[in-house]
Amino acid sequence: MLIKIPRYNEPLASEITPREIAISRRSFLQGMAASSLAASGWAGSAMATESSTRQRLPAQRNAKYSATDKPTAYSDATTYNNFYEFGTDKGDPALYAGSLKPRPWTLRVDGEVKKPLTLDLDTLLKLAPLEERLYRLRCVEGWSMAIPWIGFPLAELIRKVEPTGNAKYVEFTTLADRAQMPGVRSRVLEWPYTEGLRIDEANHPLTLLTLGMYGQVLPNQNGAPVRIIVPWKYGFKSAKSIVRIRFTEVQPRTSWNLAAPDEYGFYSNVNPDVDHPRWSQASERRIGEDGFFTKKRKTLMFNGYPEVASLYSGMDLRKFY
Ligand SMILES: Nc1nc2c(c(=O)[nH]1)N[C@H]1C(S)=C(S)[C@@H](COP(=O)(O)O)O[C@H]1N2
Ligand SMILES: [Mo]
C-alpha cells in the first residue's frame, strides 16, 4: 500500500464525512476544500449505526465462525476504506463510490470447471443459506476492524461449478469501469484489480463469498454487490465488487504483487513474525477503539484463525509470504 505518515490535518476515521452527508452539506459549504472541511470539525457523528435506506439482508448468525470482538462501528467501517478504484485516501471510497451501480450485476465463474456459470445477483443471493459471521479483517498497513459480514462459504459455489483436476488456484477479478470508478484512470495499480487463492484456501470453510454486512447489502465502498472475505490474510486479498471467478492451473497474477513484489506476496497470511520490508507487522490499531497514541494490539498468527495452519504445513511462511 502507499503508506503515508499521517499529516497533521489528516482526518481520523470517525471524522470523515460520509457521502450522503457530504452531498447535503454541499449547498452551504460551497467553496471549502473537502479536506479542510473534514479538519474543520464539520464532519458529524451521523451513521453511527447501519443506514436506514439500504436493503436489509436476513441471515442466520453463525456462532462457530464468529469472533467475540466488539464490532467496529458501522460509521467507521464505511468511511475508512481501501478501494483504489475510487481513490487512494481512506475517505475517498465513501465520497466517490456512489457512482458504482451494483445492480444489475453479473458474476462469471469459469476456467478449469466442468460447469461454468453466469450468475445474476438474485440467483447468487439464493445459491446457499446466508450466514452472518463476525470476522476480523486486518490491513497490511497495520489497522484492523471486526465486521459482521453476511454471505456463504465460497466452497458452496465451487461445488456447483465442479472444478476439473487441473484447477489448482482461483482468481478473483474486480470490475474496472472508468465510467463508474474514477480511480481507474490513475495508474497506481494495474486494472482490473485481481487477487487469488490456492484452491484449498478457497474451499476452506472460513472463506466467505460476501454479499452484505451489518444486516444489510454491502455499501458500495465496501465492495457491493459481491466480494470475498479471507479473514486470516491481509485485507488486500479480499477483493471487492468482483465480476469474475476463474479456476486456473497456474498461480494467478495479483495486482499488489505486480505493483510491489518484495512487499506483497501471493500468500499474504497475517503473520506477526514476518515484517513488511518497511514496517513491523507485530501489532495493529483497531479502528474506532484506539487513537494514534493508544497502545496497539498484538497481531495474532493467521489473524487469530489458527484452524487454517494445516493448509500450510511443511511450507516456510517466510519464503511464501
Ligand atoms: N477491488 C479492490 N478490492 C480491494 C481493495 C481495492 O483497492 N480494490 N483494497 C483491499 C484492501 S487493501 C483492504 S484492507 C480491504 C478493505 O476492505 P473494507 O474497506 O471493506 O474494510 O479491501 C481490499 N479489497
Ligand atoms: Mo489493506
Side-chain angles (χ1 to χ4, degrees):
M1 318 295 106
L2 303 172
I3 303 287
K4 299 177 300 181
I5 310 283
R7 293 190 303 262
Y8 68 95
N9 63 343
E10 196 136 287
L12 290 172
S14 56
E15 294 169 350
I16 292 166
T17 313
R19 181 175 172 272
E20 287 93 329
I21 302 163
I23 286 166
S24 72
R25 283 193 184 130
R26 214 166 276 162
S27 50
F28 64 95
L29 287 172
Q30 272 167 352
M32 283 183 85
S35 55
S36 69
L37 198 168
S40 71
W42 271 101
S45 56
M47 285 177 74
T49 69
E50 71 272 21
S51 146
S52 55
T53 51
R54 233 179 289 287
Q55 186 197 322
R56 292 209 60 78
L57 201 59
Q60 194 75 41
R61 166 61 76 110
N62 184 327
K64 182 181 170 207
Y65 287 115
S66 286
T68 53
D69 301 38
K70 178 171 173 265
T72 298
Y74 181 88
S75 54
D76 284 330
T78 54
T79 57
Y80 191 90
N81 301 102
N82 273 335
F83 199 166
Y84 277 22
E85 286 84 342
F86 296 101
T88 55
D89 280 357
K90 295 287 176 284
D92 285 343
L95 288 167
Y96 305 120
S99 51
L100 175 71
K101 285 217 282 295
R103 263 181 197 275
W105 194 268
T106 28
L107 175 64
R108 175 76 183 156
V109 191
D110 61 6
E112 287 290 347
V113 295
K114 294 188 196 110
K115 296 185 173 159
L117 276 176
T118 302
L119 297 157
D120 63 26
L121 201 49
D122 292 317
T123 313
L124 196 57
L125 282 161
K126 281 182 246 142
L127 196 109
L130 294 178
E131 298 176 16
E132 180 182 73
R133 300 175 174 201
L134 188 88
Y135 278 170
R136 287 178 291 272
L137 189 76
R138 188 199 188 277
C139 179
V140 74
E141 294 166 338
W143 50 268
S144 63
M145 302 202 197
I147 295 179
W149 302 106
I150 297 168
F152 54 79
L154 178 61
E156 298 277 354
L157 176 59
I158 296 179
R159 206 161 45 83
K160 293 225 161 38
V161 294
E162 298 182 21
T164 71
N166 295 331
K168 308 238 161 51
Y169 296 90
V170 187
E171 177 193 65
F172 306 96
T173 305
T174 294
L175 179 74
D177 179 0
R178 282 171 175 237
Q180 298 180 59
M181 301 169 138
V184 172
R185 285 161 219 270
S186 118
R187 294 174 59 189
V188 63
L189 285 177
E190 261 187 48
W191 314 108
Y193 190 102
T194 58
E195 258 308 332
L197 296 171
R198 221 170 51 194
I199 194 152
D200 57 341
E201 299 177 316
N203 263 318
H204 192 279
L206 279 169
T207 304
L208 198 70
L209 192 79
T210 303
L211 296 144
M213 62 189 233
Y214 299 87
Q216 301 179 319
V217 298
L218 285 172
N220 290 353
Q221 60 267 41
N222 294 88
V226 57
R227 70 177 297 179
I228 293 295
I229 296 290
V230 194
W232 70 93
K233 292 181 181 275
Y234 290 118
F236 64 90
K237 299 294 290 181
S238 294
K240 294 176 166 182
S241 304
I242 56 176
V243 290
R244 189 174 185 196
I245 299 178
R246 187 170 68 102
F247 293 75
T248 63
E249 185 162 14
V250 295
Q251 185 175 299
R253 294 161 28 117
T254 67
S255 287
W256 278 106
N257 182 249
L258 288 170
D262 301 340
E263 304 191 4
Y264 312 113
F266 178 80
Y267 284 93
S268 288
N269 292 314
V270 174
N271 189 340
D273 302 328
V274 177
D275 289 345
H276 183 279
R278 291 186 280 140
W279 60 84
S280 158
Q281 293 290 29
S283 65
E284 68 203 54
R285 184 168 69 92
R286 182 62 55 90
I287 295 297
E289 293 179 9
D290 308 333
F292 278 109
F293 304 106
T294 313
K295 202 163 170 278
K296 290 180 159 193
R297 296 173 180 239
K298 271 193 162 168
T299 288
L300 302 171
M301 188 66 198
F302 300 120
N303 205 21
Y305 297 94
E307 60 265 50
V308 300
S310 59
L311 294 171
Y312 310 104
S313 55
M315 279 178 75
D316 178 353
L317 294 181
R318 289 182 174 274
K319 188 164 167 237
F320 297 97
Y321 57 93

